[in-house]
Amino acid sequence: MISVPSLEEIQSLEEALHRPEIRRSREDVETLLAEGFVEFGASGSVYDRTTIIDLLAQESGTDEGELRTANYALKPISNDAVLLTYETERSYHDGSKRCVLRSSVWKYDGLKWQMFFHQGTVRS
C-alpha cells in the first residue's frame, strides 16, 4: 500500500507548474504530467497532455502579472491517487484580477507522483 503524500509534497509539485522556467521546459512538464493527462481549462477548452506540453513550451517570457494561491486542501481518492484543490488570483498590470478555483488529481505511478487531471473554473 502506498502512503498518502503530504499536502506540502503535492503542493510543491503543483506549484512547480506555475513557474515559467518549469512550464517552458518540455522535459520538466513531461515528468510532471502523467500519460493520459487531461485538462479542463478555465477558458472552457479541453486539452490533452501533448497539447499542454506544446502550449507551455511556447509560452513567452512576458510577465502575466502576479499569481497568488490560497486554501490548498488534499484528499486521498484511492490507494494511488489524491485530489488537490486550491484557489488562484492573478493580478494584472491594468489593475484587473482573475480568480480561479482549481482542482488536480495526482496519481502515483510506482516511482513518482504525476498530475493526471486538472480543472480550472473561473470564479465570478
Side-chain angles (χ1 to χ4, degrees):
M1 181 146 158
I2 301 160
S3 65
V4 176
S6 68
L7 170 61
E8 293 75 20
E9 179 182 0
I10 298 299
Q11 181 176 337
S12 174
L13 292 168
E14 182 87 27
E15 289 178 347
L17 287 164
H18 298 170
R19 300 196 331 251
E21 68 274 15
I22 299 294
R23 293 170 70 84
R24 289 193 297 266
S25 167
R26 184 173 296 274
E27 183 178 317
D28 288 340
V29 176
E30 286 173 349
T31 298
L32 288 165
L33 300 184
E35 292 295 329
F37 170 83
V38 175
E39 177 173 335
F40 294 171
S43 64
S45 297
V46 179
Y47 304 97
D48 64 15
R49 182 176 186 264
T50 301
T51 302
I52 283 292
I53 291 168
D54 290 345
L55 287 171
L56 294 179
Q58 296 168 21
E59 278 188 345
S60 69
T62 59
D63 181 20
E64 293 186 359
E66 182 181 352
L67 180 69
R68 291 192 183 125
T69 61
N71 299 323
Y72 283 92
L74 187 69
K75 295 183 172 122
I77 56 176
S78 74
N79 287 344
D80 63 351
V82 293
L83 171 67
L84 180 71
T85 57
Y86 64 105
E87 301 171 28
T88 60
E89 178 183 278
R90 187 172 296 279
S91 301
Y92 296 95
H93 299 295
D94 65 3
S96 65
K97 292 183 181 187
R98 184 174 189 226
C99 298
V100 180
L101 300 174
R102 299 192 178 271
S103 60
S104 299
V105 174
W106 287 84
K107 189 161 174 43
Y108 190 70
D109 72 356
L111 298 173
K112 62 191 172 303
W113 288 93
Q114 292 183 300
M115 186 185 288
F116 186 73
F117 174 82
H118 182 77
Q119 180 169 355
T121 303
V122 175
R123 187 176 209 171
S124 45

